[in-house]
């Protein structure tokens, strides 16, 4: 799951690092196909960087960028793909929490990474830094209850 984190002024390398950390959690990542769900207000630049990475690595992927899919919440979309899903990745989105609660499965591992995002907020406006750090306890004690940190 992509997230709209541009308000934190993340730099271009953030997107590659995010993907690489996700892929590091998967044994044999080239054996999987990836569905990439952009956030409705995701920047075009971050989407292009993500697509470029998957193409360069020769990974099988589908970007869910049709308007109806971009606007659809992950929780609504997930029942359509859950039987073929083994991993769900997000940074700190509540979507990964709701999806893990609504559609638990021993075959699916849900992942989140508050720490990865925390390493990339140094250029964020102060109010967004405070907002993000203020969410830490909620994310780590509630939203991640069915998730594995990466």
């Amino acid at each position: 799951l992509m997230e709209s984190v541009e308000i934190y002024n993340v730099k271009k390398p953030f997107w590659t690092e995010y993907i690489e950390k996700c892929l590091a959690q998967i044994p044999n990542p080239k054996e999987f196909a990836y569905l990439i769900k952009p956030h409705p207000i995701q920047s075009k630049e971050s989407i292009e960087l993500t697509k470029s990475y998957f193409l360069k690595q020769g990974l099988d992927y589908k970007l869910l960028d049709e308007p109806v899919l971009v606007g659809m919440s992950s929780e609504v979309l997930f029942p359509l793909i859950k039987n073929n899903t083994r991993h769900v990745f997000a940074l700190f989105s509540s979507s990964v929490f709701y999806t893990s609660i609504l559609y638990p499965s021993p075959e699916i591992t849900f992942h989140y990474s508050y720490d990865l995002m925390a390493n990339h907020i140094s250029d964020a406006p102060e109010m967004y830094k405070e907002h993000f750090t203020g969410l830490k306890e909620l994310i780590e004690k509630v939203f991640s209850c069915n998730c594995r940190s990466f």
Side-chain angles (χ1 to χ4, degrees):
L1 301 173
M2 295 184 79
E3 296 181 51
S4 179
V5 296
E6 286 79 5
I7 62 170
Y8 297 103
N9 295 328
V10 296
K11 293 180 175 47
K12 287 181 184 181
F14 167 78
W15 296 102
T16 299
E17 184 179 342
Y18 178 30
I19 297 166
E20 288 175 346
K21 287 201 71 132
C22 292
L23 295 175
Q25 309 307 305
I26 303 171
N28 307 312
K30 290 201 178 224
E31 294 178 10
F32 286 84
Y34 299 89
L35 289 176
I36 303 168
K37 167 67 172 79
H39 188 278
I41 59 171
Q42 192 77 39
S43 74
K44 290 187 186 312
E45 181 181 39
S46 64
I47 292 170
E48 288 304 317
L49 289 166
T50 301
K51 284 172 40 178
S52 176
Y53 182 88
F54 275 84
L55 283 170
K56 285 180 185 174
Q57 299 301 314
L59 296 168
D60 184 14
Y61 78 97
K62 169 68 175 141
L63 179 67
L64 303 177
D65 60 349
E66 297 85 10
V68 70
L69 296 175
V70 170
M72 188 180 295
S73 76
S74 300
E75 300 87 348
V76 171
L77 179 62
F78 197 73
L80 303 174
I81 62 171
K82 71 178 182 174
N83 291 336
N84 295 312
T85 300
R86 295 299 165 257
H87 299 274
V88 177
F89 292 94
L91 292 166
F92 60 98
S93 172
S94 60
S95 290
V96 76
F97 166 72
Y98 293 123
T99 304
S100 73
I101 295 292
L102 294 170
Y103 310 106
S105 169
E107 296 176 2
I108 302 172
T109 304
F110 297 90
H111 306 262
Y112 83 101
S113 189
Y114 177 90
D115 292 338
L116 173 62
M117 189 64 211
N119 292 334
H120 290 274
I121 66 167
S122 61
D123 291 335
E126 199 56 43
M127 65 185 251
Y128 294 123
K129 287 180 190 177
E130 288 179 25
H131 175 258
F132 181 77
T133 55
L135 289 173
K136 184 175 183 171
E137 188 173 11
L138 178 66
I139 292 166
E140 292 185 340
K141 293 187 177 176
V142 179
F143 285 175
S144 66
C145 68
N146 293 331
C147 302
R148 189 179 293 171
S149 178
F150 71 98

